[in-house]
Amino acid sequence: MKKSEVLVILGTPHRLREPGKQSPDGRLRECVYGREVCAEVALKLESMGYKCVIDYTPLDLPKEMQSPSVRQERQRELAMRVNFVNEICRQNGAKNVLYVSIHVDASGNDGKWHEPNGWSVRVGTKASARSKLLADCLFDAAKSYGLKMRQPTAKQKYWPQELYVLNNTNCPAVLTENLFQDNINDVALLLSDEGRHIIERIHVEGIIKYIECL
Ligand SMILES: [Zn+2]
């Protein structure tokens, strides 16, 4: 596929108002970190001639979309992201669009450090062959940096998961979980210059490889 035909959409994670979603020491906030990664990846891809947009960059929803109910506010956020992606799919043709939502994993939500660590990629429960190919490309890029890889079986590189943004967007779509925000060693790597560079490169290289495969 020619790079001029493809539109890459990067998805930022969550909102500042979403409870939890940070390292126990508060140094890493998933919503902030994910937005920084998205911005860097978009810059790199654009500098190489790829068209790239980010689904939502403000840290919180506009006041009129906020709600005392966390659940309701989250649903509004996710619906907004899906609408954004599907409108682009409508304009460009879903097969010319791809969506990568960039997250940081967590194994607990109790403000404590935990053992689980490593990198993984998710697809929706009814994922297309192209979504799986995109996941494979990102997985291979992450593995090349020597990260601890989390995968369901030795053969399968992605975890199917019932995630709203993956199951409701019309284009190939995946979600990356870039190490763990409640593992002390993962957080140290994520916040280091080297770690930031690795997370950025995984997305740049995985996305380009996918586009070149088509
Ligand atoms: Zn997340």
Side-chain angles (χ1 to χ4, degrees):
M1 215 166 177
K2 286 195 203 115
K3 61 172 87 164
S4 60
E5 292 169 357
V6 188
L7 211 151
V8 178
I9 309 176
L10 301 174
T12 58
H14 313 292
R15 293 157 285 104
L16 198 58
R17 281 164 53 84
E18 178 79 36
K21 310 291 183 192
Q22 63 175 22
S23 60
D25 60 8
R27 290 200 304 144
L28 187 147
R29 279 178 175 270
E30 184 180 359
C31 65
V32 174
Y33 190 84
R35 279 160 177 74
E36 290 168 354
V37 173
C38 282
E40 279 301 315
V41 172
L43 266 181
K44 284 277 160 19
L45 286 172
E46 281 164 358
S47 75
M48 297 165 78
Y50 293 89
K51 285 182 282 184
C52 190
V53 292
I54 298 172
D55 66 348
Y56 193 71
T57 53
L59 278 171
D60 272 315
L61 297 182
K63 279 273 183 296
E64 65 272 17
M65 284 180 71
Q66 293 180 5
S67 165
S69 156
V70 172
R71 193 160 164 267
Q72 185 175 53
E73 191 170 315
R74 188 184 303 136
Q75 282 170 347
R76 288 176 180 169
E77 174 215 331
L78 297 176
M80 178 190 66
R81 293 181 188 279
V82 166
N83 289 341
F84 178 86
V85 173
N86 285 345
E87 178 56 24
I88 291 177
C89 291
R90 200 181 61 75
Q91 290 172 12
N92 294 266
K95 69 175 192 335
N96 302 317
V97 177
L98 65 103
Y99 183 53
V100 181
S101 184
I102 301 179
H103 286 246
V104 182
D105 216 340
S107 58
N109 194 11
D110 54 4
K112 297 191 175 114
W113 296 109
H114 292 278
E115 283 287 314
N117 63 344
W119 193 96
S120 67
V121 60
R122 315 294 162 95
V123 300
T125 45
K126 296 162 284 180
S128 63
R130 284 195 177 196
S131 294
K132 292 172 182 173
L133 174 64
L134 177 56
D136 283 347
C137 291
L138 287 158
F139 181 99
D140 292 343
K143 193 171 184 182
S144 76
Y145 286 97
L147 298 180
K148 184 201 162 175
M149 304 304 292
R150 301 172 68 89
Q151 60 194 112
T153 67
K155 276 189 181 162
Q156 189 173 310
K157 298 171 178 174
Y158 46 80
W159 299 80
Q161 197 177 343
E162 199 152 327
L163 292 168
Y164 187 81
V165 292
L166 299 184
N167 277 353
N168 291 283
T169 43
N170 296 328
C171 59
V174 305
L175 185 150
T176 59
E177 292 283 12
N178 297 278
L179 308 182
F180 279 72
Q181 60 196 284
D182 53 7
N183 178 278
I184 199 163
N185 297 319
D186 276 5
V187 168
L189 179 60
L190 285 167
L191 293 174
S192 69
D193 288 346
E194 184 201 2
R196 286 179 183 275
H197 181 71
I198 289 171
I199 301 302
E200 174 196 315
R201 292 305 305 167
I202 289 169
H203 293 88
V204 171
E205 290 168 16
I207 288 167
I208 291 175
K209 192 172 158 208
Y210 166 79
I211 292 169
E212 288 175 348
C213 272
L214 296 176

